[in-house]
Amino acid sequence: MLVLSRYQNETIMIGDDVAITVVEIRGDKVRLGIEAPKSIDVHRREVWAKIKAGQDEEGGEAIPVPAA
């Protein structure tokens, strides 16, 4: 895992198309803004896991979810 430190209003780029900006830091909570092409799904991990679990029930391949 790559760990980066950023201050408020600073951005991290993933490839050429995905930008993650620290919008706000309040106590122990960080708000992130994510800019990505519409072709890239962006979900919180718990939502992503439920989507993948639903795909498995429909006969899709199960994808293990690493512990956070």
Side-chain angles (χ1 to χ4, degrees):
M1 174 188 301
L2 173 64
V3 178
L4 301 172
S5 297
R6 298 277 75 195
Y7 292 104
Q8 190 167 332
N9 298 319
E10 291 186 331
T11 299
I12 295 168
M13 295 299 300
I14 300 177
D16 293 329
D17 298 329
V18 178
I20 301 174
T21 302
V22 178
V23 175
E24 180 181 19
I25 303 169
R26 189 183 309 170
D28 63 347
K29 190 174 258 189
V30 176
R31 293 184 71 209
L32 301 173
I34 301 169
E35 294 180 57
K38 291 186 183 282
S39 61
I40 297 177
D41 292 335
V42 178
H43 302 286
R44 296 186 324 264
R45 180 178 291 234
E46 60 274 16
V47 171
W48 174 84
K50 287 180 182 179
I51 292 168
K52 294 300 177 186
Q55 288 177 353
D56 184 43
E57 290 173 6
E58 297 171 6
E61 183 177 332
I63 299 175
V65 178

